[in-house]
Amino acid sequence: MSDTITEAPPSVPRPVAAPKKRNWIKIAATVLLVLFLVALPILTGSQVAYLKVAQYILIGTVGGIGLTLLVGQAGQLSLAHPFFLLVGAVSYAVLAGDPAESPGLVGLGFPPLLAVIGAVVICGLVGLAFAPVAGRLRGIYLGVASLSLVFLGLWLGQSLELFTGGTSSGRPPPTFELFGFAFSTTTPAPTIAGVPIQKQQRLWYLFLVFALGAYFLARGAINSRIGRSWRAVRDNEAAATAMGVNVARVKAGAFTISSAFAGLAGVMTALWLDLVKPDENEFTGNYSLTVAIAFLAIVIIGGLGSVPGAVVGAIVVYGLQQFFLLGANQFGWFADAQFGGLSAVILSAFVYGAAVVLVVLFEPGGAAAIGRRLTSRFTPRKER
Amino acid sequence: MTSAPTLREGVVDLVVDDVTLRFGGITALDGVSFTVAPGTVHALIGPNGAGKSSCFNVISGLYRPTEGRVRLGEQVLTDLRPHRLAALGVGRSFQNIALSPGSTVRDNVMLGRHSLTRGGFLSGGLRLGSKTERKHLARVEEICDFLGVADRLDSPVSALPYGVAKRVDIARALACEPILLLLDEPAAGLDGTETAEMAVTISELRDALGISVLLVEHDMGLVMGIADRVTVLDFGRLIADGVPSEVQSDPAVISAYLGVGAEEEN
């Protein structure tokens, strides 16, 4: 029966559409942006703190892309992202950890690259394990159910000290290495344009590769068969089923993929902090409710389901927070009593909270919709 | 009606075999049996609440019958999970357009190719299937051209008038390359001109593709104009099954419709 469905079209064949004209402005802008990102360590020079801010934005980007696929494309609300960040960070530390260096902790001593892949796969599998819940609940109910994972992470992080190192000291993540090239400070260091490429510069390039890879994969997936099935399940499950989409499987798959992205962001968090340490409480920390809300803000500010939007969201949410922290550390912002104990983290939460409100009120499509409107002015209008 | 068209290869009859559907104490369908012969336009009609939609949902796998079964050729559809039907050649459109409003027409119709294609996250992310994707896109453009929506390929569905969106929904069902097309009230919400155009389209697509069409419809003008055979349900029971002229003069059908207001239906 299957050979009948690919038969020749019965209608009059029409000429195949002419190849799309390349949008040179877009290509030029992309090249410039990539050049800028590659040259960033040189531009920041010895001001490594700025580079740390940029690295942090890339963590938000990778995690945000994962969440926008799930929430925006597949229509599943999840607040469990910090949990998968924690699983990713701990998995990396456990897989790559050298038992000789950290006595009393579980370390399997895998090569770091293998450990990163392993951590991403483990997060995907843990996400898949949540699929029976994710497949049955919708909207805010799924959001609340997924929130329970953050609390589970808090408890597991504190009780499984053999893996996590515990809340008091944590454990150091193993240095990332690629074919003998260590992502740490060495002497002598290679230099580019007089700037030594040390640990932070190397981490920047590593993160850039991760983020560009995540971006590339997500964009490709959205424009392909899997992306169409996500949107179909999001918009109408009955219609998706009628078109041959296995709804339960697609939902589980979306959760798995989103969790894997979060796992990579978790590995990046561990490398960025140079520490894997479970949170002391559920409200503050790198794997806490605050982070769950921050990721949701990234997705909303960027526009639900938009990958470039997630990048913009990460700049606003993750960038601002680190920018204010940088100001506090370098220039003594918020030190005065007149700020009334307003810390950098709280101030950034206010700013992105306001951004979320503005987006919801004035442009529910988020940064993606604003971007579309701007680019449509510079590109030749298609005939409708 | 029209002369017998050349059948698409593999087109077989759809047999609804003694189907009973109960929800708790309510019997929505009571021992309904009829056959959609290959290459015919078959209409399923009846007054409101007669069980047309229930019957339709049983055929398309959304409801599982309490008793009885539905066969497509040798294949028993009621044993299968509903998402498997598309691959067997059952395409379906929806009464209240069930498209993704934010996506383009092209994207929506491409969903119909789901069961004809393979690939998951990695193959999509790495753009491994872009060559076959282009082949399928070309076919989607042909189908949209056939339904007269090719000029709207890049429009989001939310920007389309209702009548056009309705045709996109049918285009998506056709993108499954079905041997049996299920149309749920294709004329619902359309004005007189659009309904007439839809009738022409349905006849044309059956003739051009050589497939069977089963439609549920309220618009008697449309049904009597294009159907080769009509099945009438009332209170979950089959009360008539025959060619339109036969059914129109059937006393049971007349009384069923008169009881519910024949003026409306005509």
PDB file of all heavy atoms in Angstrom, chain B residues 157-176:
ATOM      1  N   VAL B 157      -1.941  31.277   8.568  1.00  0.00           N
ATOM      2  CA  VAL B 157      -3.347  30.884   8.448  1.00  0.00           C
ATOM      3  C   VAL B 157      -4.269  31.898   9.117  1.00  0.00           C
ATOM      4  O   VAL B 157      -5.373  32.146   8.640  1.00  0.00           O
ATOM      5  CB  VAL B 157      -3.530  29.466   9.042  1.00  0.00           C
ATOM      6  CG1 VAL B 157      -4.984  29.166   9.292  1.00  0.00           C
ATOM      7  CG2 VAL B 157      -2.930  28.439   8.106  1.00  0.00           C
ATOM      8  N   SER B 158      -3.793  32.526  10.197  1.00  0.00           N
ATOM      9  CA  SER B 158      -4.645  33.480  10.918  1.00  0.00           C
ATOM     10  C   SER B 158      -5.010  34.677  10.044  1.00  0.00           C
ATOM     11  O   SER B 158      -5.966  35.381  10.333  1.00  0.00           O
ATOM     12  CB  SER B 158      -3.934  33.948  12.187  1.00  0.00           C
ATOM     13  OG  SER B 158      -2.689  34.525  11.860  1.00  0.00           O
ATOM     14  N   ALA B 159      -4.239  34.917   8.962  1.00  0.00           N
ATOM     15  CA  ALA B 159      -4.514  36.068   8.103  1.00  0.00           C
ATOM     16  C   ALA B 159      -5.483  35.717   6.968  1.00  0.00           C
ATOM     17  O   ALA B 159      -5.803  36.573   6.161  1.00  0.00           O
ATOM     18  CB  ALA B 159      -3.207  36.609   7.525  1.00  0.00           C
ATOM     19  N   LEU B 160      -5.932  34.464   6.918  1.00  0.00           N
ATOM     20  CA  LEU B 160      -6.763  34.034   5.791  1.00  0.00           C
ATOM     21  C   LEU B 160      -8.245  34.201   6.099  1.00  0.00           C
ATOM     22  O   LEU B 160      -8.680  34.022   7.229  1.00  0.00           O
ATOM     23  CB  LEU B 160      -6.508  32.557   5.482  1.00  0.00           C
ATOM     24  CG  LEU B 160      -5.092  32.145   5.082  1.00  0.00           C
ATOM     25  CD1 LEU B 160      -5.054  30.650   4.863  1.00  0.00           C
ATOM     26  CD2 LEU B 160      -4.648  32.876   3.838  1.00  0.00           C
ATOM     27  N   PRO B 161      -9.046  34.498   5.073  1.00  0.00           N
ATOM     28  CA  PRO B 161     -10.501  34.439   5.241  1.00  0.00           C
ATOM     29  C   PRO B 161     -10.930  32.992   5.529  1.00  0.00           C
ATOM     30  O   PRO B 161     -10.225  32.051   5.148  1.00  0.00           O
ATOM     31  CB  PRO B 161     -11.050  34.884   3.889  1.00  0.00           C
ATOM     32  CG  PRO B 161      -9.904  35.415   3.130  1.00  0.00           C
ATOM     33  CD  PRO B 161      -8.662  34.873   3.708  1.00  0.00           C
ATOM     34  N   TYR B 162     -12.093  32.844   6.169  1.00  0.00           N
ATOM     35  CA  TYR B 162     -12.535  31.517   6.608  1.00  0.00           C
ATOM     36  C   TYR B 162     -12.593  30.526   5.449  1.00  0.00           C
ATOM     37  O   TYR B 162     -12.127  29.386   5.562  1.00  0.00           O
ATOM     38  CB  TYR B 162     -13.912  31.645   7.271  1.00  0.00           C
ATOM     39  CG  TYR B 162     -14.352  30.393   7.984  1.00  0.00           C
ATOM     40  CD1 TYR B 162     -13.893  30.118   9.269  1.00  0.00           C
ATOM     41  CD2 TYR B 162     -15.218  29.495   7.372  1.00  0.00           C
ATOM     42  CE1 TYR B 162     -14.292  28.977   9.931  1.00  0.00           C
ATOM     43  CE2 TYR B 162     -15.614  28.345   8.035  1.00  0.00           C
ATOM     44  CZ  TYR B 162     -15.151  28.086   9.310  1.00  0.00           C
ATOM     45  OH  TYR B 162     -15.531  26.956   9.956  1.00  0.00           O
ATOM     46  N   GLY B 163     -13.155  30.968   4.348  1.00  0.00           N
ATOM     47  CA  GLY B 163     -13.329  30.064   3.206  1.00  0.00           C
ATOM     48  C   GLY B 163     -12.004  29.545   2.677  1.00  0.00           C
ATOM     49  O   GLY B 163     -11.897  28.379   2.288  1.00  0.00           O
ATOM     50  N   VAL B 164     -10.983  30.390   2.686  1.00  0.00           N
ATOM     51  CA  VAL B 164      -9.661  29.976   2.203  1.00  0.00           C
ATOM     52  C   VAL B 164      -9.030  29.000   3.198  1.00  0.00           C
ATOM     53  O   VAL B 164      -8.460  27.967   2.807  1.00  0.00           O
ATOM     54  CB  VAL B 164      -8.752  31.209   1.984  1.00  0.00           C
ATOM     55  CG1 VAL B 164      -7.375  30.773   1.525  1.00  0.00           C
ATOM     56  CG2 VAL B 164      -9.373  32.159   0.982  1.00  0.00           C
ATOM     57  N   ALA B 165      -9.161  29.322   4.487  1.00  0.00           N
ATOM     58  CA  ALA B 165      -8.593  28.441   5.517  1.00  0.00           C
ATOM     59  C   ALA B 165      -9.205  27.048   5.423  1.00  0.00           C
ATOM     60  O   ALA B 165      -8.535  26.027   5.599  1.00  0.00           O
ATOM     61  CB  ALA B 165      -8.825  29.039   6.906  1.00  0.00           C
ATOM     62  N   LYS B 166     -10.494  27.005   5.118  1.00  0.00           N
ATOM     63  CA  LYS B 166     -11.198  25.734   4.964  1.00  0.00           C
ATOM     64  C   LYS B 166     -10.559  24.888   3.835  1.00  0.00           C
ATOM     65  O   LYS B 166     -10.397  23.680   3.953  1.00  0.00           O
ATOM     66  CB  LYS B 166     -12.652  26.061   4.596  1.00  0.00           C
ATOM     67  CG  LYS B 166     -13.612  24.967   4.839  1.00  0.00           C
ATOM     68  CD  LYS B 166     -14.358  25.144   6.136  1.00  0.00           C
ATOM     69  CE  LYS B 166     -15.102  23.860   6.401  1.00  0.00           C
ATOM     70  NZ  LYS B 166     -15.726  23.846   7.709  1.00  0.00           N
ATOM     71  N   ARG B 167     -10.177  25.564   2.773  1.00  0.00           N
ATOM     72  CA  ARG B 167      -9.543  24.853   1.657  1.00  0.00           C
ATOM     73  C   ARG B 167      -8.134  24.404   2.030  1.00  0.00           C
ATOM     74  O   ARG B 167      -7.670  23.354   1.568  1.00  0.00           O
ATOM     75  CB  ARG B 167      -9.504  25.755   0.418  1.00  0.00           C
ATOM     76  CG  ARG B 167     -10.891  26.186  -0.037  1.00  0.00           C
ATOM     77  CD  ARG B 167     -10.825  27.112  -1.224  1.00  0.00           C
ATOM     78  NE  ARG B 167     -10.729  26.374  -2.482  1.00  0.00           N
ATOM     79  CZ  ARG B 167     -11.780  25.901  -3.144  1.00  0.00           C
ATOM     80  NH1 ARG B 167     -12.985  26.089  -2.676  1.00  0.00           N
ATOM     81  NH2 ARG B 167     -11.622  25.231  -4.254  1.00  0.00           N
ATOM     82  N   VAL B 168      -7.471  25.198   2.854  1.00  0.00           N
ATOM     83  CA  VAL B 168      -6.136  24.799   3.323  1.00  0.00           C
ATOM     84  C   VAL B 168      -6.244  23.526   4.164  1.00  0.00           C
ATOM     85  O   VAL B 168      -5.408  22.626   4.065  1.00  0.00           O
ATOM     86  CB  VAL B 168      -5.464  25.937   4.136  1.00  0.00           C
ATOM     87  CG1 VAL B 168      -4.162  25.463   4.772  1.00  0.00           C
ATOM     88  CG2 VAL B 168      -5.221  27.146   3.251  1.00  0.00           C
ATOM     89  N   ASP B 169      -7.297  23.457   4.975  1.00  0.00           N
ATOM     90  CA  ASP B 169      -7.512  22.279   5.806  1.00  0.00           C
ATOM     91  C   ASP B 169      -7.674  21.030   4.930  1.00  0.00           C
ATOM     92  O   ASP B 169      -7.150  19.962   5.234  1.00  0.00           O
ATOM     93  CB  ASP B 169      -8.763  22.503   6.669  1.00  0.00           C
ATOM     94  CG  ASP B 169      -8.829  21.520   7.832  1.00  0.00           C
ATOM     95  OD1 ASP B 169      -7.756  21.153   8.340  1.00  0.00           O
ATOM     96  OD2 ASP B 169      -9.944  21.134   8.209  1.00  0.00           O
ATOM     97  N   ILE B 170      -8.401  21.190   3.824  1.00  0.00           N
ATOM     98  CA  ILE B 170      -8.576  20.061   2.904  1.00  0.00           C
ATOM     99  C   ILE B 170      -7.258  19.747   2.188  1.00  0.00           C
ATOM    100  O   ILE B 170      -6.901  18.583   1.986  1.00  0.00           O
ATOM    101  CB  ILE B 170      -9.705  20.367   1.902  1.00  0.00           C
ATOM    102  CG1 ILE B 170     -11.032  20.469   2.675  1.00  0.00           C
ATOM    103  CG2 ILE B 170      -9.797  19.276   0.834  1.00  0.00           C
ATOM    104  CD1 ILE B 170     -12.204  20.864   1.834  1.00  0.00           C
ATOM    105  N   ALA B 171      -6.511  20.806   1.851  1.00  0.00           N
ATOM    106  CA  ALA B 171      -5.202  20.601   1.220  1.00  0.00           C
ATOM    107  C   ALA B 171      -4.302  19.756   2.134  1.00  0.00           C
ATOM    108  O   ALA B 171      -3.598  18.854   1.675  1.00  0.00           O
ATOM    109  CB  ALA B 171      -4.538  21.944   0.930  1.00  0.00           C
ATOM    110  N   ARG B 172      -4.352  20.041   3.431  1.00  0.00           N
ATOM    111  CA  ARG B 172      -3.530  19.289   4.378  1.00  0.00           C
ATOM    112  C   ARG B 172      -3.953  17.817   4.401  1.00  0.00           C
ATOM    113  O   ARG B 172      -3.104  16.919   4.438  1.00  0.00           O
ATOM    114  CB  ARG B 172      -3.636  19.902   5.776  1.00  0.00           C
ATOM    115  CG  ARG B 172      -2.736  19.224   6.772  1.00  0.00           C
ATOM    116  CD  ARG B 172      -2.784  19.880   8.124  1.00  0.00           C
ATOM    117  NE  ARG B 172      -4.107  19.752   8.745  1.00  0.00           N
ATOM    118  CZ  ARG B 172      -4.390  20.178   9.969  1.00  0.00           C
ATOM    119  NH1 ARG B 172      -3.472  20.789  10.680  1.00  0.00           N
ATOM    120  NH2 ARG B 172      -5.587  20.016  10.470  1.00  0.00           N
ATOM    121  N   ALA B 173      -5.280  17.585   4.376  1.00  0.00           N
ATOM    122  CA  ALA B 173      -5.752  16.197   4.368  1.00  0.00           C
ATOM    123  C   ALA B 173      -5.299  15.485   3.090  1.00  0.00           C
ATOM    124  O   ALA B 173      -4.942  14.308   3.107  1.00  0.00           O
ATOM    125  CB  ALA B 173      -7.273  16.164   4.487  1.00  0.00           C
ATOM    126  N   LEU B 174      -5.280  16.228   1.973  1.00  0.00           N
ATOM    127  CA  LEU B 174      -4.849  15.631   0.705  1.00  0.00           C
ATOM    128  C   LEU B 174      -3.345  15.389   0.676  1.00  0.00           C
ATOM    129  O   LEU B 174      -2.856  14.527  -0.065  1.00  0.00           O
ATOM    130  CB  LEU B 174      -5.226  16.538  -0.466  1.00  0.00           C
ATOM    131  CG  LEU B 174      -6.669  16.465  -0.948  1.00  0.00           C
ATOM    132  CD1 LEU B 174      -6.851  17.382  -2.135  1.00  0.00           C
ATOM    133  CD2 LEU B 174      -7.048  15.036  -1.324  1.00  0.00           C
ATOM    134  N   ALA B 175      -2.610  16.165   1.462  1.00  0.00           N
ATOM    135  CA  ALA B 175      -1.157  16.013   1.488  1.00  0.00           C
ATOM    136  C   ALA B 175      -0.739  14.657   2.061  1.00  0.00           C
ATOM    137  O   ALA B 175       0.394  14.224   1.880  1.00  0.00           O
ATOM    138  CB  ALA B 175      -0.516  17.143   2.297  1.00  0.00           C
ATOM    139  N   CYS B 176      -1.659  13.972   2.734  1.00  0.00           N
ATOM    140  CA  CYS B 176      -1.392  12.607   3.212  1.00  0.00           C
ATOM    141  C   CYS B 176      -1.411  11.607   2.060  1.00  0.00           C
ATOM    142  O   CYS B 176      -1.164  10.426   2.278  1.00  0.00           O
ATOM    143  CB  CYS B 176      -2.435  12.153   4.227  1.00  0.00           C
ATOM    144  SG  CYS B 176      -2.573  13.141   5.692  1.00  0.00           S
TER     145      CYS B 176
END
